[in-house]
Amino acid sequence: MSTINRRDFIKSASSVLVAGVLPVSLIELAFAKSEQNFTFAYISDSHIQHIKGSKFVRNWDRGLIRAVAETNLMDPKPDFVIYGGDLAQLGSKPELDHGMELMSALRYDTKYVMGEHDYYLDLGEYWEKLNGPQYYSFDHKGVHFVVLNSILTYDDWTHNRWKDGEERMGVMAGLDNPNGSPFMVGKKQRKWLKKDLARVNRNTPVVVFSHSPLQKIFKGWNFWTEDAEQVQALLKPFKKVNVFYGHVHQIQYNQIGNISFHSAMATAWPWPYPSTYKQAVSHLPKLTVEMNRADPFFERDATGWQMIDIHSGNADMHYALANNTRRTLAFNKKTGRPEDTKYQGKIILPQQHY
Ligand SMILES: [Fe+2]
Ligand SMILES: [Fe+2]
């Protein structure tokens, strides 16, 4: 994509922003040959929640409806859409059906990532009927994409402790959750990943989608993947790897070796940062400058969207946040990591409303 086109692209994205909150990401890939440039959109964590009959929690519905509508308006049009997981709140058939019905308004091919809120009621059985396999890979215009189910856990926890799936889901759905169990990709899937990556050229850009971060941030809230290091080791031989994840409902970013990590916003609600809630030493990657989120009474507070461009394999994140300071996290070639172009090493003062 040429500079002029890119400028127009940003301009058109910004002009849509004027319409309001955009809880969606548009990702521009600008690898190698110009004819291979393309974009895809990323929507995550809608937590569609059933009340009873045909009633669902209004605000969560609205976040997803808006994201879908904005995605349909995007210019350039994304080649496909990734849904980052937690489509449902408690994984029930009405929630998944309703979520899929809202998603069906999308005009693009959509690929799904499994979230723990989709999974722990029936271990992904109904979700699979709707969306297909829980992990898979695909190639698109010179990029190798991998989708993992990173929210599995120990068999003993999954199978031997609960009177039924509802009880199991109720426990795993909590945030501050002493009876939960750490998420993991697991041996079977790691074996599959190893085999899948063996056929990929080491210079091919690799993009991985997981629901939980493939890094260890805070175990108490499952901002954590137990076998993160083993998964990272499988990705190590590749020149450029980007991991995009949902689940944390907040801005996080990190660099571990050759792998850049970026979280995406939720369409539903923001989670607090572990450091602010627990009043403990920050559990976040040192690199991450936390968002300032001062307004819990604004229902779209700390939701938003980001445009992601990956120039020559490194991701730059342009965050457009509702009623909050815009941010750009750009890959700094000198330091070899993503950094906030304005706030790195600083704190962000309370947000200004306008
Ligand atoms: Fe979530
Ligand atoms: Fe989640």
Side-chain angles (χ1 to χ4, degrees):
M1 185 178 278
S2 72
T3 317
I4 290 169
N5 281 344
R6 185 168 293 123
R7 201 179 300 131
D8 287 345
F9 166 58
I10 290 166
K11 210 172 74 194
S12 67
S14 320
S15 64
V16 180
L17 180 72
V18 176
V21 183
L22 294 160
V24 65
S25 311
L26 186 62
I27 297 160
E28 176 202 12
L29 290 171
F31 295 118
K33 295 173 196 160
S34 58
E35 66 266 25
Q36 292 189 323
N37 291 351
F38 64 98
T39 63
F40 62 94
Y42 185 109
I43 303 173
S44 199
D45 290 270
S46 304
H47 291 266
I48 297 304
Q49 191 170 356
H50 193 210
I51 302 170
K52 62 176 180 180
S54 59
K55 280 194 170 162
F56 292 85
V57 173
R58 182 198 60 84
N59 192 15
W60 315 154
D61 272 21
R62 295 316 306 171
L64 180 56
I65 289 167
R66 193 153 194 175
V68 166
E70 302 293 0
T71 307
N72 281 338
L73 289 173
M74 278 178 163
D75 179 20
K77 292 185 189 310
D79 281 17
F80 55 87
V81 180
I82 299 283
Y83 190 87
D86 287 353
L87 179 63
Q89 169 64 12
L90 295 172
S92 68
K93 196 171 177 291
E95 288 178 355
L96 287 167
D97 281 343
H98 185 54
M100 291 304 287
E101 191 187 331
L102 298 181
M103 287 294 287
S104 72
L106 273 175
R107 296 187 189 130
Y108 314 103
D109 177 32
T110 305
K111 296 174 194 305
Y112 288 82
V113 182
M114 181 75 85
E116 82 277 19
H117 288 260
D118 306 318
Y119 181 76
Y120 279 98
L121 181 66
D122 64 357
L123 307 182
E125 203 184 309
Y126 189 60
W127 186 98
E128 265 193 354
K129 266 190 199 139
L130 298 170
N131 301 321
Q134 298 180 19
Y135 54 93
Y136 51 95
S137 69
F138 59 99
D139 294 291
H140 188 77
K141 297 181 179 171
V143 180
H144 187 64
F145 289 92
V146 178
V147 175
L148 295 176
N149 177 358
S150 66
I151 55 81
L152 300 171
T153 195
Y154 297 101
D155 282 348
D156 179 52
W157 191 96
T158 305
H159 298 290
N160 300 334
R161 294 192 189 189
W162 317 108
K163 76 173 189 299
D164 55 26
E166 269 174 45
E167 190 182 54
R168 179 176 55 207
M169 171 58 92
V171 171
M172 206 51 126
L175 177 67
D176 196 356
N177 170 12
N179 298 320
S181 188
F183 293 149
M184 62 181 69
V185 169
K187 217 173 178 179
K188 187 176 158 203
Q189 217 177 148
R190 291 202 312 271
K191 206 172 151 193
W192 168 83
L193 180 63
K194 193 175 173 187
K195 214 170 143 191
D196 178 75
L197 293 174
R199 61 181 179 81
V200 181
N201 185 297
R202 300 304 194 229
N203 294 318
T204 301
V206 175
V207 175
V208 180
F209 300 110
S210 60
H211 181 67
S212 56
L214 294 178
Q215 55 180 334
K216 291 174 167 171
I217 296 174
F218 182 41
K219 200 172 188 174
W221 289 358
N222 258 338
F223 288 7
W224 186 273
T225 302
E226 190 83 333
D227 51 358
E229 290 91 348
Q230 284 111 300
V231 179
Q232 289 167 19
L234 296 174
L235 297 167
K236 208 173 176 184
F238 293 88
K239 221 167 140 187
K240 303 276 187 192
V241 183
N242 285 281
V243 174
F244 295 106
Y245 58 96
H247 182 61
V248 297
H249 301 207
Q250 63 194 222
I251 292 179
Q252 295 178 355
Y253 54 102
N254 200 12
Q255 182 76 31
I256 300 176
N258 59 327
I259 310 170
S260 297
F261 295 85
H262 284 284
S263 62
M265 312 297 291
T267 65
W269 68 79
W271 283 130
Y273 282 107
S275 50
T276 54
Y277 183 75
K278 286 283 185 184
Q279 299 298 308
V281 178
S282 177
H283 296 276
L284 284 180
K286 276 188 188 144
L287 200 56
T288 298
V289 177
E290 297 184 13
M291 292 168 67
N292 184 298
R293 303 184 314 192
D295 190 356
F297 299 103
F298 171 48
E299 72 173 18
R300 293 261 72 87
D301 190 42
T303 60
W305 72 293
Q306 63 268 27
M307 191 189 78
I308 306 169
D309 51 64
I310 310 182
H311 307 284
S312 2
N314 295 121
D316 291 349
M317 313 283 281
H318 308 276
Y319 283 94
L321 306 169
N323 271 21
N324 211 333
T325 315
R326 286 187 176 203
R327 297 178 64 177
T328 292
L329 309 175
F331 192 83
N332 182 335
K333 282 215 170 80
K334 273 191 203 150
T335 55
R337 60 191 204 179
E339 290 177 0
D340 193 297
T341 52
K342 201 169 159 195
Y343 298 105
Q344 199 61 44
K346 299 178 188 155
I347 55 160
I348 300 177
L349 293 171
Q351 67 206 51
Q352 289 182 325
H353 288 254
Y354 50 88

